[in-house]
């Protein structure tokens, strides 16, 4: 019998780029509801909602603005879903991400249909990202109050939770204890067949007229946006010492100049501009290459060619880029923070440094560049870790499909 699965995600397909096609291939019917930026997958009905009400966003208390945005999304999803139900749509399971409020009223339309939540991270009042970096800590009680209220839609979603899906053990641990018994830890999965060591690797920077292959003193840093949440400030402050220790080292930095998490720099501008201004003449800018966002195949070629990849993050959501770098066989120096420590073990499949210690980072990088052959075993173990724990087709996708079947049954 054909089952019907309804995906709800403001930026569909998002985390479901692999799961949704896999369900369709085995004969299930897949329908998606997404926001204005959602992209259709071949053969999938996609129904977009508009989160903005016709009369504009009504005024509200500043502390309630985030909750209002999520309520507007919930209402927009309901307006989109209701005519589909009237036309005969009968989902056997709803799969979605509660982070934007889209699932808040789904149970009022589908009270008897199980809902699988993608639980990436529950905001923490202490012990996670907020207040972790003392350089950007703010003791104003109003900010703490806003954070407390920002948790409200997440806690409401947990109250209605049928089952949740978290990508890493530490991210699962951010869920309050009473709800963890309804939670599975399954990563979205890495296509280790395609994202793999492939030779001969070659990265070309056409504007700089440079070409890199394995063996060159190339250091890489990747983030969606270059900001303190992903340790960009620590990485930049490390570079003057690294350049003195390794005069031939070249650095490629991938990422935009906006803000994905946290706040913009005080006074405006970008964190890149701020750090370049702070470091001034202590940097040899000719050996630092900001390349913005790059296509995925280029990113993977960077991981294959780099002598060492640096991944830093405050305790927050783990980036796919870390696992993709490891899958390509890159040697990774990561921050000794959660959830990086769910994946990297110092001296086993990578190296760890204190998030704030830019001197230690520079010295460890210099040691790797001086003797790359002695770290070959770490590269092999990094690749093995991803293949054994995060492989898309053999590990993660089968676990996801089994969970879907169990919830429908």
């Amino acid at each position: 019998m054909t089952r019907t699965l309804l995906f709800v995600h403001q930026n569909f397909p998002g985390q479901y780029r692999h799961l949704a096609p896999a369900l369709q291939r085995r004969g299930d019917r897949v329908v998606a509801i997404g926001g204005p930026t959602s992209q259709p997958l071949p053969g999938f009905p996609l129904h977009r909602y508009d989160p903005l009400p016709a009369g504009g966003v009504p005024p509200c208390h500043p502390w309630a603005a985030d909750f209002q945005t999520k309520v507007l999304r919930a209402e927009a999803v309901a307006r989109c879903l209701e005519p589909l139900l009237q036309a005969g749509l009968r989902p056997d399971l709803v799969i979605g991400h509660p982070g934007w409020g889209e699932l808040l009223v789904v149970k009022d339309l589908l009270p008897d249909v199980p809902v699988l939540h993608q639980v990436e991270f529950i905001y923490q009042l202490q012990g996670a990202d907020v207040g972790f970096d003392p350089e950007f800590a703010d003791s104003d009680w109003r900010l703490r109050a806003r954070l407390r209220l920002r948790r409200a839609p997440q806690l409401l979603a947990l109250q209605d939770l049928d089952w949740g899906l978290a990508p890493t053990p530490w991210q699962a641990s951010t869920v309050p204890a009473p709800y963890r018994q309804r939670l599975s830890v399954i990563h979205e999965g890495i296509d280790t067949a395609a994202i793999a060591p492939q030779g001969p690797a070659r990265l070309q920077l056409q504007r700089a007229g440079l070409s890199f292959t394995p063996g060159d003193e190339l250091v890489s840093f990747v983030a969606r946006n270059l900001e303190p949440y992903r340790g960009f400030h620590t990485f930049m402050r490390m570079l003057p010492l690294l350049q003195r220790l390794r005069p031939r080292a070249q650095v490629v930095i991938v990422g935009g100049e906006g803000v994905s998490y946290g706040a913009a720099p005080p006074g405006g501008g970008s964190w890149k501009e701020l750090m370049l201004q702070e470091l001034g003449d202590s940097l040899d800018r000719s050996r630092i290459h900001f390349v913005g966002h790059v296509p995925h195949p280029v990113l993977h070629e960077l991981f294959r060619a780099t002598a060492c990849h640096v991944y830093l993050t405050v305790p927050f959501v783990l980036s796919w880029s870390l696992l993709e770098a490891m899958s390509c066989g890159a040697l990774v120096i990561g921050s000794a923070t959660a959830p990086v420590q769910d994946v990297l073990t110092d001296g086993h499949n990578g190296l760890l440094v204190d998030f704030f210690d830019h001197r230690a980072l520079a010295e460890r990088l210099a040691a790797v560049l001086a003797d790359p052959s002695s770290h070959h075993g770490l590269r092999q173990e990094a690749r093995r870790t991803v293949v054994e724990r995060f492989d898309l087709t053999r590990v993660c996708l089968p676990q996801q499909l089994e969970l879907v079947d169990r919830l429908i049954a």
Side-chain angles (χ1 to χ4, degrees), residues 35 125 208:
L125 299 178

Side-chain angles (χ1 to χ4, degrees), residues 172-406:
S173 75
T174 66
V175 174
Y179 304 102
R180 290 179 200 159
Q181 61 186 0
R182 287 178 280 163
L183 199 64
S184 297
V185 178
I186 308 173
H187 195 267
E188 294 88 354
I190 302 297
D191 185 354
T192 63
I195 306 172
Q198 297 173 2
R202 179 176 293 274
L203 178 75
Q204 292 186 308
L205 300 183
Q206 294 181 348
R207 291 183 183 177
L210 296 173
S211 179
F212 301 104
T213 57
D216 293 330
E217 291 196 23
L218 175 63
V219 175
S220 57
F221 180 90
V222 174
R224 181 187 304 173
N225 280 299
L226 306 176
E227 55 187 329
Y229 254 66
R230 296 309 191 193
F232 176 65
H233 57 320
T234 297
F235 182 80
M236 290 296 293
R237 288 167 180 162
M238 170 276 301
L239 290 177
L241 177 56
L242 177 67
Q243 290 186 327
R244 292 196 299 272
L245 294 173
R246 305 301 302 175
R248 297 177 57 190
Q250 300 277 347
V251 178
V252 172
I253 299 174
V254 176
E257 297 187 37
V259 174
S260 297
Y261 316 107
S270 70
W271 289 106
K272 171 188 168 184
E273 295 168 342
L274 188 69
M275 293 312 303
L276 288 175
Q277 182 180 3
E278 174 187 317
L279 296 169
D281 294 337
S282 66
L283 288 176
D284 178 358
R285 300 271 290 271
S286 69
R287 292 192 283 138
I288 303 171
H289 312 282
F290 292 92
V291 298
H293 294 293
V294 301
H296 246 85
V298 176
L299 185 65
H300 297 154
E301 199 69 0
L302 171 63
F303 292 150
R304 296 181 188 110
T306 188
C308 192
H309 177 65
V310 177
Y311 178 76
L312 309 174
T313 183
V314 303
F316 195 57
V317 175
L318 188 73
S319 305
W320 290 350
S321 64
L322 169 62
L323 297 178
E324 292 188 357
M326 295 171 67
S327 188
C328 288
L331 171 60
V332 177
I333 296 181
S335 56
T337 51
V340 180
Q341 291 166 303
D342 280 344
V343 179
L344 279 183
T345 300
D346 186 53
H348 171 67
N349 58 0
L351 301 171
L352 293 174
V353 295
D354 184 277
F355 177 87
F356 304 104
D357 195 342
H358 56 270
R359 172 172 284 275
L361 176 58
E363 292 172 347
R364 200 138 208 202
L365 266 170
V368 169
L369 298 179
D371 188 12
S373 61
S374 66
H375 298 85
H376 183 64
L378 298 182
R379 294 174 176 271
Q380 291 180 318
E381 287 298 328
R383 165 75 179 169
R384 184 176 292 113
T385 296
V386 179
V387 170
E388 292 180 353
R389 293 176 51 192
F390 301 99
D391 180 78
L392 173 68
T393 57
R394 293 188 304 103
V395 180
C396 297
L397 200 52
Q399 292 178 2
Q400 293 170 25
L401 293 173
E402 187 276 332
L403 177 60
V404 165
D405 291 340
R406 181 155 51 90

